[in-house]
Amino acid sequence: TSVNIRLVNHLSKDVVLKFDNEQFNRLFFNLIKNSVESIHQKAEKTSNFDKKISVEITSNNDHILINIIDNGIGFENFKGDIKEILHPYFTTKKNGTGLGLSIVNKIVNDHNGTMKFFPIKEGAKVEIIFNLNDS
């Protein structure tokens, strides 16, 4: 099953965020992997829909905003406090380890960022904010 991934970059040319390359690769890998898995879970029940992931990166004077939006199952398998999904070993997947989002959360925290999760009408949105003044 193919998934369309769209990257929208609205960064100013003079934006500088100091980060560890390997950690940021892991951050994006884990978040996009979760989106792909969520879309595949939805495709098992609903075969006819456009499978989409959008990665939007924008900046202003004092922060960088990263939104990862997908049209998968969203947080429908999750019934508790949304922040519980950040705990190590918490998973709603049959073969999941529960480490992906806890690793992402640690990377975001290590770079003085914040991460929030939003259920949206057709899927899920993960929002990450990095303050440029703290980096």
Side-chain angles (χ1 to χ4, degrees):
T1 308
S2 67
V3 177
N4 293 321
I5 298 178
R6 183 181 73 131
L7 177 60
V8 180
N9 180 353
H10 294 291
L11 290 177
S12 305
K13 296 215 183 309
D14 58 348
V15 169
V16 176
L17 175 66
K18 295 176 186 142
F19 61 87
D20 180 284
N21 245 359
E22 188 176 315
Q23 286 188 338
F24 264 58
N25 285 339
R26 189 171 295 130
L27 178 144
F28 282 106
F29 173 81
N30 279 316
L31 290 174
I32 291 171
K33 178 178 175 266
N34 282 355
S35 289
V36 168
E37 289 172 354
S38 175
I39 286 169
H40 284 303
Q41 281 183 281
K42 184 175 180 178
E44 289 173 4
K45 302 174 192 166
T46 311
S47 59
N48 196 13
F49 72 103
D50 288 335
K51 300 157 187 74
K52 295 183 215 168
I53 300 170
S54 175
V55 180
E56 301 169 354
I57 305 172
T58 57
S59 65
N60 71 15
N61 296 334
D62 64 350
H63 72 267
I64 291 176
L65 172 66
I66 300 169
N67 283 316
I68 298 179
I69 303 160
D70 68 61
N71 65 341
I73 60 169
F75 300 113
E76 74 180 32
N77 286 349
F78 185 74
K79 305 291 184 236
D81 177 3
I82 198 76
K83 290 187 178 183
E84 283 183 34
I85 65 177
L86 296 175
H87 294 166
Y89 308 110
F90 178 90
T91 186
T92 60
K93 300 173 192 160
K94 279 184 281 190
N95 299 317
T97 63
L99 292 175
L101 284 179
S102 67
I103 290 169
V104 168
N105 190 47
K106 180 172 180 358
I107 293 168
V108 170
N109 288 336
D110 287 351
H111 291 83
N112 298 315
T114 59
M115 183 166 52
K116 295 180 183 169
F117 302 90
F118 299 96
I120 58 175
K121 186 178 178 190
E122 293 288 327
K125 173 179 160 184
V126 177
E127 175 187 276
I128 301 171
I129 298 174
F130 293 105
N131 292 319
L132 293 173
N133 300 335
D134 295 342
S135 53

